[in-house]
Amino acid sequence: MQSPRLFARMKRPKSPLPPTPSTPPTPQQRQSFTKLITSVSRKRRNILQNPQPLPPSEIKWKPLNISKSELYLPLTFPTGQTFRWKKTGPLQYTGPVGHHLISLKQLDDDCVGYFCHFTDSEDSARIDLFDFLNMEISLNSLWDEFRAADARFAELALHLEGARVLRQDPLECLIQFICSSNNNIQRITKMVDFISSKGRFLGNVGGFDFFEFPLLEKLALLSEAELREAGFGYRAKYIVGTIAALQSKPGGGLEWLASLRKLDLQGAVCGLSSLPGVGPKVAACIALFALDQHHAIPVDTHVWKIATRYLIPELAGTSLTPRICNRVADAFVSKYGKYAGWAQTLLFISELPSQKAMLPSSVWDTEGRRSSVEIQVKIETIHQAKEIPRSKRKIRGK
């Protein structure tokens, strides 16, 4: 039987990437696990078959030593990367990481705290959590590169700091994004919850039941009829077909998915596209959110509109054909380099109604009338205001 997390601790391969105009962060700019992961107690926690949820007042948050500029939970979890994490309190999100059940909370000092509801090793849970959060990559260093390349990104970054790209389990990510095809968040979440419920129960937090993602052998027991009855529609046959295709892979489906991390982007996308129900956009999502393909650009109508508004206005009004999709992806890579998928994620988040409503109206100059100099002056003004002590700031109206 395959190990359900065989690839979870695999050393990240260095995938060959096509040359691009921008340079990714240097090794010195990348954060080290050894600096971020401090020692925690090695005392093993007793595992309950059905662990009882703790009242919020009894949760003792442990600091992860991650600043808000590196990780801001409301811009990372409810933005369409994963549908397995739930909001379980103010600025608090809970979800499974492998066989651990973990809550994260944005603390008063803007750092992030964590609590393990279910685990047999907090050391292992912390390491797996940092891997899931992609903390080997310094968001601050990346954004310095993006700000230098794009004044508009620099302005948005002032208001939307801490939006990270996750590094998910490839099987979980694959199934979630097959469910996401031509779908809405409410239905996607319902489908993902149904499939997740076939795994081992981890606990209940905030009224939500959480499960370890099912083994491939367990998923193979799902029938198309059962999935259709649960509301999956035509996606039922794709999920059943994909699971069967993975089981037929030499060496096993989990190993095959993990091997895609060693390929370049085109190889990874081609491999994923061989599975039933996986088109170019779904493949790009999985490549970006699970396979270390940091310059993957999931192109849909929203991303296309962003590109034609700010990057390639000459394509406005064209149809979104495969050729145009390629040009959109190339435009992002040309602008932002080998981590273009991270920049695209921030630009996509900025277009979400929940975030757009919170941004100042000055950000939305869709006709591009402001020059980069004007934008830069505004950025410097905001930075200077942040540096002035609160006691010395002029109070409006006095």
Side-chain angles (χ1 to χ4, degrees):
M1 179 181 293
Q2 302 175 52
S3 169
R5 296 291 177 268
L6 181 63
F7 44 79
R9 294 188 176 88
M10 289 179 62
K11 183 177 180 182
R12 295 194 189 195
K14 295 183 178 179
S15 302
L17 295 172
T20 54
S22 180
T23 303
T26 65
Q28 289 75 21
Q29 291 174 312
R30 292 172 66 87
Q31 299 180 11
S32 168
F33 273 134
T34 58
K35 292 182 180 179
L36 288 168
I37 302 178
T38 56
S39 177
V40 296
S41 171
R42 295 183 179 277
K43 182 178 179 181
R44 296 175 69 87
R45 176 176 298 180
N46 291 329
I47 298 298
L48 303 176
Q49 185 64 29
N50 293 294
Q52 296 298 314
L54 284 175
S57 59
E58 293 187 22
I59 293 180
K60 306 300 181 184
W61 299 102
K62 295 186 177 181
L64 280 175
N65 300 320
I66 301 173
S67 66
K68 179 183 177 182
S69 63
E70 284 290 343
L71 173 63
Y72 187 55
L73 303 177
L75 292 180
T76 299
F77 286 103
T79 53
Q81 291 191 60
T82 177
F83 304 93
R84 301 239 296 146
W85 281 65
K86 316 292 185 184
K87 185 175 182 181
T88 52
L91 296 177
Q92 176 183 322
Y93 296 84
T94 303
V97 178
H99 54 275
H100 318 290
L101 178 58
I102 300 175
S103 281
L104 296 173
K105 185 176 179 64
Q106 210 80 40
L107 303 177
D108 292 338
D109 60 0
D110 279 340
C111 289
V112 178
Y114 80 102
F115 180 82
C116 292
H117 300 273
F118 184 93
T119 186
D120 60 355
S121 168
E122 287 205 23
D123 277 347
S124 175
R126 190 179 175 98
I127 291 171
D128 291 348
L129 175 61
F130 270 72
D131 183 74
F132 171 72
L133 293 174
N134 237 335
M135 291 307 300
E136 277 193 354
I137 296 174
S138 167
L139 191 61
N140 288 324
S141 296
L142 279 184
W143 282 25
D144 284 344
E145 296 274 341
F146 301 154
R147 289 186 186 100
D150 182 7
R152 174 172 172 74
F153 185 98
E155 187 173 18
L156 287 173
L158 291 172
H159 308 283
L160 300 174
E161 64 179 354
R164 294 195 70 83
V165 169
L166 300 172
R167 187 179 195 248
Q168 300 180 57
D169 176 301
L171 178 61
E172 292 180 34
C173 194
L174 168 63
I175 299 300
Q176 288 184 83
F177 278 95
I178 291 178
C179 292
S180 75
S181 179
N182 297 316
N183 212 343
N184 60 61
I185 290 180
Q186 184 176 1
R187 288 191 65 207
I188 298 167
T189 301
K190 183 178 179 180
M191 292 177 186
V192 172
D193 286 348
F194 177 83
I195 291 179
S196 299
S197 69
K198 305 303 178 181
R200 180 175 61 149
F201 177 65
L202 297 179
N204 181 290
V205 180
F208 298 100
D209 287 338
F210 294 93
F211 302 83
E212 183 176 1
F213 201 75
L215 300 174
L216 194 55
E217 293 81 359
K218 188 76 172 178
L219 291 174
L221 300 177
L222 290 169
S223 67
E224 182 178 340
E226 182 181 3
L227 291 173
R228 284 186 177 275
E229 187 177 351
F232 283 69
Y234 67 87
R235 302 167 196 84
K237 66 178 180 181
Y238 292 145
I239 291 173
V240 171
T242 287
I243 293 168
L246 290 175
Q247 286 192 305
S248 68
K249 296 293 183 183
L254 299 184
E255 289 83 351
W256 179 79
L257 284 171
S259 73
L260 299 181
R261 286 176 168 168
K262 301 176 183 179
L263 305 180
D264 61 15
L265 176 58
Q266 183 177 1
V269 168
C270 286
L272 291 168
S273 298
S274 69
L275 300 172
V278 179
K281 182 203 168 182
V282 168
C285 287
I286 299 163
L288 177 61
F289 300 139
L291 300 180
D292 301 333
Q293 304 291 343
H294 302 296
H295 67 307
I297 307 296
V299 180
D300 59 9
T301 55
H302 302 290
V303 174
W304 171 61
K305 288 179 181 178
I306 293 171
T308 55
R309 190 180 302 152
Y310 304 113
L311 301 179
I312 42 178
E314 65 272 17
L315 293 185
T318 60
S319 299
L320 193 55
T321 64
R323 185 179 66 84
I324 295 298
C325 285
N326 289 336
R327 287 194 61 183
V328 169
D330 290 344
F332 275 98
V333 175
S334 296
K335 187 73 169 180
Y336 301 108
K338 294 184 179 181
Y339 285 82
W342 290 60
Q344 175 268 327
T345 297
L346 183 278
L347 296 174
F348 177 82
I349 289 171
S350 73
E351 297 280 341
L352 295 175
S354 58
Q355 303 305 328
K356 194 169 183 178
M358 298 171 60
L359 293 171
S361 59
S362 60
V363 172
W364 302 110
D365 184 2
T366 58
E367 297 180 12
R369 289 179 294 217
R370 287 184 300 164
S371 69
S372 60
V373 174
E374 291 176 307
I375 295 177
Q376 189 60 41
V377 169
K378 178 178 175 60
I379 292 169
E380 291 175 358
T381 301
I382 295 176
H383 276 311
Q384 290 170 2
K386 288 184 176 181
E387 292 172 359
I388 300 175
R390 290 182 181 275
S391 61
K392 297 182 180 180
R393 293 181 188 177
K394 183 178 179 181
I395 300 176
R396 182 173 296 180
K398 291 189 178 181

